[in-house]
Amino acid sequence: MKKLIALFPLLAILLWQACKTESGKPLNPNGDSELAILMRQMFEDGERVREQIKNGQPVDIQVDFEKIMTAKATDPTKMQGKEYPHFAASYVEAMKALRDAPPAEAQDKYSAMVATCMNCHEQSCPGPMVRIKKLTL
Ligand code: HEC
């Protein structure tokens, strides 16, 4: 188990690179894509909502999550094919279910939402998965 933990930073670096270009630099020299910025907001909002659920507080979602359907990615080929819209729609549905959930169901709906992040990332962009795992309850 200890060995496994020691491997994590290495794994994180390898996976992080997996979502960049082969040179290791971001594709967009002018900065971060609209989608990358949205993703960071989704992550930060997720961290906040996670605390709310852990503290038994009402869930208050602030990120404009439906933008995931239209925001432009660094590498638009990541959004081509039918997988991206399919995964994006699952995420939007999961966010709505969480937003509208009665308090007793918030925890389950939250976990289901984090699973939709992981599903898309597994397919299109494994780099941030290590980070997304921190959102699990
Ligand atoms: C429908 C597919 C999809 C879903 C769902 C999804 N992501 Fe992403 N995510 C991407 C893609 C594609 C990128 C690369 C964006 C780019 O570089 O333009 C990305 C990038 C990221 C990044 C790296 C951003 C950066 O700093 O460059 C993080 C962190 C992230 N996602 C977290 C999340 C979290 C948290 C969720 C769920 C709340 C989530 N993602 C749901 C496809 C998805």
Side-chain angles (χ1 to χ4, degrees), residues 65 87-99 113 116:
F65 57 86
F87 284 123
S90 308
Y91 162 74
V92 169
E93 284 312 306
M95 284 296 272
K96 285 182 182 163
L98 172 62
R99 185 188 60 194
M113 181 279 287
T116 67

PDB file of all heavy atoms in Angstrom, residues 65 87-99 113 116:
ATOM      1  N   PHE A  65     -23.022  25.461 -15.316  1.00  0.00           N
ATOM      2  CA  PHE A  65     -22.595  24.143 -15.809  1.00  0.00           C
ATOM      3  C   PHE A  65     -23.083  23.802 -17.218  1.00  0.00           C
ATOM      4  O   PHE A  65     -22.482  22.995 -17.900  1.00  0.00           O
ATOM      5  CB  PHE A  65     -22.978  23.040 -14.807  1.00  0.00           C
ATOM      6  CG  PHE A  65     -24.437  22.965 -14.466  1.00  0.00           C
ATOM      7  CD1 PHE A  65     -25.304  22.244 -15.253  1.00  0.00           C
ATOM      8  CD2 PHE A  65     -24.932  23.610 -13.337  1.00  0.00           C
ATOM      9  CE1 PHE A  65     -26.644  22.158 -14.938  1.00  0.00           C
ATOM     10  CE2 PHE A  65     -26.279  23.542 -13.013  1.00  0.00           C
ATOM     11  CZ  PHE A  65     -27.141  22.811 -13.825  1.00  0.00           C
ATOM     12  N   PHE A  87     -21.427  12.493 -22.988  1.00  0.00           N
ATOM     13  CA  PHE A  87     -20.907  12.631 -21.625  1.00  0.00           C
ATOM     14  C   PHE A  87     -21.285  13.991 -21.036  1.00  0.00           C
ATOM     15  O   PHE A  87     -21.579  14.092 -19.847  1.00  0.00           O
ATOM     16  CB  PHE A  87     -19.384  12.466 -21.604  1.00  0.00           C
ATOM     17  CG  PHE A  87     -18.932  11.047 -21.748  1.00  0.00           C
ATOM     18  CD1 PHE A  87     -18.072  10.674 -22.764  1.00  0.00           C
ATOM     19  CD2 PHE A  87     -19.355  10.077 -20.851  1.00  0.00           C
ATOM     20  CE1 PHE A  87     -17.635   9.358 -22.886  1.00  0.00           C
ATOM     21  CE2 PHE A  87     -18.924   8.758 -20.966  1.00  0.00           C
ATOM     22  CZ  PHE A  87     -18.067   8.401 -21.988  1.00  0.00           C
ATOM     23  N   ALA A  88     -21.258  15.022 -21.874  1.00  0.00           N
ATOM     24  CA  ALA A  88     -21.591  16.359 -21.395  1.00  0.00           C
ATOM     25  C   ALA A  88     -23.055  16.400 -20.949  1.00  0.00           C
ATOM     26  O   ALA A  88     -23.388  16.970 -19.904  1.00  0.00           O
ATOM     27  CB  ALA A  88     -21.331  17.396 -22.481  1.00  0.00           C
ATOM     28  N   ALA A  89     -23.940  15.757 -21.718  1.00  0.00           N
ATOM     29  CA  ALA A  89     -25.369  15.739 -21.371  1.00  0.00           C
ATOM     30  C   ALA A  89     -25.585  14.972 -20.065  1.00  0.00           C
ATOM     31  O   ALA A  89     -26.399  15.392 -19.232  1.00  0.00           O
ATOM     32  CB  ALA A  89     -26.175  15.119 -22.511  1.00  0.00           C
ATOM     33  N   SER A  90     -24.847  13.888 -19.854  1.00  0.00           N
ATOM     34  CA  SER A  90     -24.986  13.135 -18.599  1.00  0.00           C
ATOM     35  C   SER A  90     -24.584  14.007 -17.413  1.00  0.00           C
ATOM     36  O   SER A  90     -25.224  13.981 -16.365  1.00  0.00           O
ATOM     37  CB  SER A  90     -24.082  11.899 -18.566  1.00  0.00           C
ATOM     38  OG  SER A  90     -24.262  11.119 -19.676  1.00  0.00           O
ATOM     39  N   TYR A  91     -23.509  14.778 -17.621  1.00  0.00           N
ATOM     40  CA  TYR A  91     -23.049  15.660 -16.540  1.00  0.00           C
ATOM     41  C   TYR A  91     -24.108  16.727 -16.236  1.00  0.00           C
ATOM     42  O   TYR A  91     -24.436  16.975 -15.075  1.00  0.00           O
ATOM     43  CB  TYR A  91     -21.707  16.299 -16.926  1.00  0.00           C
ATOM     44  CG  TYR A  91     -21.350  17.508 -16.115  1.00  0.00           C
ATOM     45  CD1 TYR A  91     -20.928  17.379 -14.791  1.00  0.00           C
ATOM     46  CD2 TYR A  91     -21.455  18.787 -16.648  1.00  0.00           C
ATOM     47  CE1 TYR A  91     -20.635  18.498 -14.029  1.00  0.00           C
ATOM     48  CE2 TYR A  91     -21.159  19.907 -15.899  1.00  0.00           C
ATOM     49  CZ  TYR A  91     -20.751  19.759 -14.585  1.00  0.00           C
ATOM     50  OH  TYR A  91     -20.461  20.870 -13.836  1.00  0.00           O
ATOM     51  N   VAL A  92     -24.660  17.347 -17.284  1.00  0.00           N
ATOM     52  CA  VAL A  92     -25.677  18.396 -17.082  1.00  0.00           C
ATOM     53  C   VAL A  92     -26.898  17.820 -16.355  1.00  0.00           C
ATOM     54  O   VAL A  92     -27.404  18.424 -15.402  1.00  0.00           O
ATOM     55  CB  VAL A  92     -26.076  19.047 -18.437  1.00  0.00           C
ATOM     56  CG1 VAL A  92     -27.306  19.924 -18.285  1.00  0.00           C
ATOM     57  CG2 VAL A  92     -24.910  19.861 -18.997  1.00  0.00           C
ATOM     58  N   GLU A  93     -27.322  16.636 -16.758  1.00  0.00           N
ATOM     59  CA  GLU A  93     -28.454  15.984 -16.091  1.00  0.00           C
ATOM     60  C   GLU A  93     -28.139  15.726 -14.620  1.00  0.00           C
ATOM     61  O   GLU A  93     -28.979  15.948 -13.743  1.00  0.00           O
ATOM     62  CB  GLU A  93     -28.788  14.643 -16.770  1.00  0.00           C
ATOM     63  CG  GLU A  93     -29.518  14.782 -18.101  1.00  0.00           C
ATOM     64  CD  GLU A  93     -30.696  15.743 -18.015  1.00  0.00           C
ATOM     65  OE1 GLU A  93     -31.560  15.531 -17.136  1.00  0.00           O
ATOM     66  OE2 GLU A  93     -30.740  16.712 -18.801  1.00  0.00           O
ATOM     67  N   ALA A  94     -26.919  15.253 -14.358  1.00  0.00           N
ATOM     68  CA  ALA A  94     -26.529  14.938 -12.977  1.00  0.00           C
ATOM     69  C   ALA A  94     -26.477  16.208 -12.120  1.00  0.00           C
ATOM     70  O   ALA A  94     -26.849  16.187 -10.946  1.00  0.00           O
ATOM     71  CB  ALA A  94     -25.182  14.222 -12.962  1.00  0.00           C
ATOM     72  N   MET A  95     -26.039  17.324 -12.720  1.00  0.00           N
ATOM     73  CA  MET A  95     -25.994  18.587 -11.978  1.00  0.00           C
ATOM     74  C   MET A  95     -27.404  19.073 -11.659  1.00  0.00           C
ATOM     75  O   MET A  95     -27.665  19.575 -10.566  1.00  0.00           O
ATOM     76  CB  MET A  95     -25.261  19.659 -12.796  1.00  0.00           C
ATOM     77  CG  MET A  95     -23.766  19.498 -12.805  1.00  0.00           C
ATOM     78  SD  MET A  95     -23.002  19.681 -11.175  1.00  0.00           S
ATOM     79  CE  MET A  95     -22.733  21.450 -11.099  1.00  0.00           C
ATOM     80  N   LYS A  96     -28.321  18.914 -12.617  1.00  0.00           N
ATOM     81  CA  LYS A  96     -29.708  19.337 -12.371  1.00  0.00           C
ATOM     82  C   LYS A  96     -30.324  18.478 -11.268  1.00  0.00           C
ATOM     83  O   LYS A  96     -31.035  18.984 -10.406  1.00  0.00           O
ATOM     84  CB  LYS A  96     -30.531  19.210 -13.650  1.00  0.00           C
ATOM     85  CG  LYS A  96     -30.222  20.304 -14.654  1.00  0.00           C
ATOM     86  CD  LYS A  96     -31.107  20.152 -15.873  1.00  0.00           C
ATOM     87  CE  LYS A  96     -30.795  21.206 -16.911  1.00  0.00           C
ATOM     88  NZ  LYS A  96     -31.346  20.849 -18.222  1.00  0.00           N
ATOM     89  N   ALA A  97     -30.036  17.164 -11.314  1.00  0.00           N
ATOM     90  CA  ALA A  97     -30.588  16.266 -10.307  1.00  0.00           C
ATOM     91  C   ALA A  97     -30.059  16.637  -8.914  1.00  0.00           C
ATOM     92  O   ALA A  97     -30.800  16.613  -7.934  1.00  0.00           O
ATOM     93  CB  ALA A  97     -30.237  14.816 -10.646  1.00  0.00           C
ATOM     94  N   LEU A  98     -28.776  17.030  -8.868  1.00  0.00           N
ATOM     95  CA  LEU A  98     -28.184  17.435  -7.591  1.00  0.00           C
ATOM     96  C   LEU A  98     -28.813  18.745  -7.101  1.00  0.00           C
ATOM     97  O   LEU A  98     -29.178  18.875  -5.939  1.00  0.00           O
ATOM     98  CB  LEU A  98     -26.665  17.590  -7.760  1.00  0.00           C
ATOM     99  CG  LEU A  98     -25.894  18.193  -6.597  1.00  0.00           C
ATOM    100  CD1 LEU A  98     -26.015  17.336  -5.347  1.00  0.00           C
ATOM    101  CD2 LEU A  98     -24.421  18.363  -6.966  1.00  0.00           C
ATOM    102  N   ARG A  99     -28.933  19.687  -8.018  1.00  0.00           N
ATOM    103  CA  ARG A  99     -29.508  20.988  -7.678  1.00  0.00           C
ATOM    104  C   ARG A  99     -30.919  20.832  -7.108  1.00  0.00           C
ATOM    105  O   ARG A  99     -31.308  21.496  -6.169  1.00  0.00           O
ATOM    106  CB  ARG A  99     -29.534  21.853  -8.946  1.00  0.00           C
ATOM    107  CG  ARG A  99     -30.005  23.286  -8.742  1.00  0.00           C
ATOM    108  CD  ARG A  99     -30.187  23.981 -10.072  1.00  0.00           C
ATOM    109  NE  ARG A  99     -31.189  23.302 -10.909  1.00  0.00           N
ATOM    110  CZ  ARG A  99     -31.365  23.507 -12.207  1.00  0.00           C
ATOM    111  NH1 ARG A  99     -30.588  24.352 -12.837  1.00  0.00           N
ATOM    112  NH2 ARG A  99     -32.304  22.859 -12.881  1.00  0.00           N
ATOM    113  N   MET A 113     -22.863  12.719  -9.754  1.00  0.00           N
ATOM    114  CA  MET A 113     -22.355  13.822 -10.578  1.00  0.00           C
ATOM    115  C   MET A 113     -20.831  13.672 -10.761  1.00  0.00           C
ATOM    116  O   MET A 113     -20.329  13.774 -11.881  1.00  0.00           O
ATOM    117  CB  MET A 113     -22.723  15.154  -9.900  1.00  0.00           C
ATOM    118  CG  MET A 113     -22.300  16.402 -10.630  1.00  0.00           C
ATOM    119  SD  MET A 113     -20.585  16.852 -10.397  1.00  0.00           S
ATOM    120  CE  MET A 113     -20.612  17.469  -8.705  1.00  0.00           C
ATOM    121  N   THR A 116     -19.897  11.302 -13.369  1.00  0.00           N
ATOM    122  CA  THR A 116     -20.007  11.753 -14.764  1.00  0.00           C
ATOM    123  C   THR A 116     -18.755  12.534 -15.189  1.00  0.00           C
ATOM    124  O   THR A 116     -18.391  12.505 -16.363  1.00  0.00           O
ATOM    125  CB  THR A 116     -21.280  12.600 -15.031  1.00  0.00           C
ATOM    126  OG1 THR A 116     -21.188  13.839 -14.327  1.00  0.00           O
ATOM    127  CG2 THR A 116     -22.550  11.856 -14.641  1.00  0.00           C
TER     128      THR A 116
END
